[in-house]
Amino acid sequence: MIIQQPFTIAIQRRGKLRDDSEATLQLANITLEEDVLRSECENTGVRILYVRDDDIPEYVRQGVADFGIVGENVIAECGIALRIVQKLSFGNCRLVIAVPETSTIQSIQDLAGERIATSYPNLLRMFLQEQGIQASIIEITGSVEVAPELNLADAICDLTQSGATLKEHNLRELVTLYSSEAVLVSNPTLPVEQFITL
Ligand code: PRT
Ligand code: ZN
């Protein structure tokens, strides 16, 4: 990425995307600071906002940030229309439905009438609708993988990368709903080429 004029970019403050986001920006000579909410890079004049990943689409939609780096899964779930400027080849993961290893649920049709815990209710609802399956969506914000153990749900719909977490909780994958990676996004009205050349 070559910078044509300074801009504001929102990235994840802490979490799985932080290090790779930093490495991506470093390639454009943009340096980050630790444990701050915002900073301005001396080399380039680029302003950085350090936020929760879930808030990045809204920052970009509102124009508070010109660009953002976020998982496609977050954009798809919130439904905000953003331009994908570049796929970044990190943060790869899949949104899957998984069930306890001992469950009698063997196919997606067997999910009919069952309870599925997730932090991705919109993507799950769309998938179930497409498949013509009626199931209850139990919306929770974290630790989705323990929901079956607690008898809160019969299945989960959650992100997985290595699969280790599913295995730890004796869960087996039934189906992949969505494959995701981190992307550089902008507001659809932003004249991207005035700010950067890829
Ligand atoms: O605080 P903030 O809201 O910013 O962070 P967060 O906790 O919501 O997000 P974070 O840092 O966990 O993830 C940020 C983004 O990284 C996600 O939106 C995805 O785009 C991407 N990503 C890539 C992942 C994973 N891989 C991943 N493995 N997000 C979450 N996971 C979870 C997974 O659900 C499991 O619980 O990490 C755990 C380990 O996964 P396994 O399969 O490797 O065991
Ligand atoms: Zn988040």
Side-chain angles (χ1 to χ4, degrees):
M1 186 200 301
I2 298 162
I3 298 168
Q4 306 298 346
Q5 62 165 301
F7 51 83
T8 301
I9 183 164
I11 64 163
Q12 191 186 28
R13 181 162 188 222
R14 283 193 203 100
K16 293 201 159 59
L17 302 182
R18 164 73 191 220
D19 289 351
D20 287 319
S21 299
E22 180 161 14
T24 302
L25 294 179
Q26 268 172 356
L27 289 176
N29 206 22
I30 304 167
T31 51
L32 271 59
E33 284 174 33
E34 288 303 318
D35 261 328
V36 291
L37 297 176
R38 51 184 179 172
S39 69
E40 185 169 323
C41 166
E42 276 181 25
N43 308 330
T44 57
V46 169
R47 295 168 298 275
I48 302 128
L49 302 176
Y50 305 86
V51 300
R52 289 199 59 180
D53 66 344
D54 317 77
D55 294 333
I56 291 174
E58 190 62 26
Y59 275 71
V60 176
R61 175 163 75 153
Q62 296 287 342
V64 173
D66 300 305
F67 295 96
I69 294 180
V70 66
E72 290 174 298
N73 53 300
V74 171
I75 304 170
E77 177 63 24
C78 74
I80 294 178
L82 299 176
R83 178 184 300 165
I84 297 191
V85 178
Q86 193 175 32
K87 293 200 172 213
L88 295 173
S89 303
F90 65 81
N92 296 69
C93 57
R94 293 176 301 118
L95 185 67
V96 302
I97 295 178
V99 295
E101 266 154 18
T102 54
S103 170
T104 54
I105 300 170
Q106 298 294 341
S107 70
I108 47 178
Q109 277 70 32
D110 295 339
L111 292 167
E114 304 289 351
R115 301 162 301 164
I116 312 173
T118 191
S119 312
Y120 289 85
N122 295 327
L123 287 175
L124 177 57
R125 192 174 303 114
M126 278 188 262
F127 175 79
L128 293 173
Q129 258 166 21
E130 277 166 22
Q131 300 292 326
I133 294 164
Q134 296 213 336
S136 323
I137 299 178
I138 314 277
E139 191 175 339
I140 50 178
T141 57
S143 303
V144 171
E145 61 279 352
V146 298
E149 290 164 36
L150 300 176
N151 196 23
L152 180 66
D154 309 295
I156 66 160
C157 172
D158 200 9
L159 296 175
T160 181
Q161 200 261 313
S162 70
T165 305
L166 295 179
K167 217 170 165 187
E168 256 168 50
H169 292 273
N170 301 313
L171 297 165
R172 74 177 141 80
E173 272 185 41
L174 204 60
V175 62
T176 298
L177 277 60
Y178 191 84
S179 295
S180 177
E181 68 182 89
V183 287
L184 177 69
V185 291
S186 73
N187 188 293
T189 62
L190 186 84
V192 171
E193 52 294 333
Q194 290 179 18
F195 292 93
I196 56 169
T197 310
L198 294 175

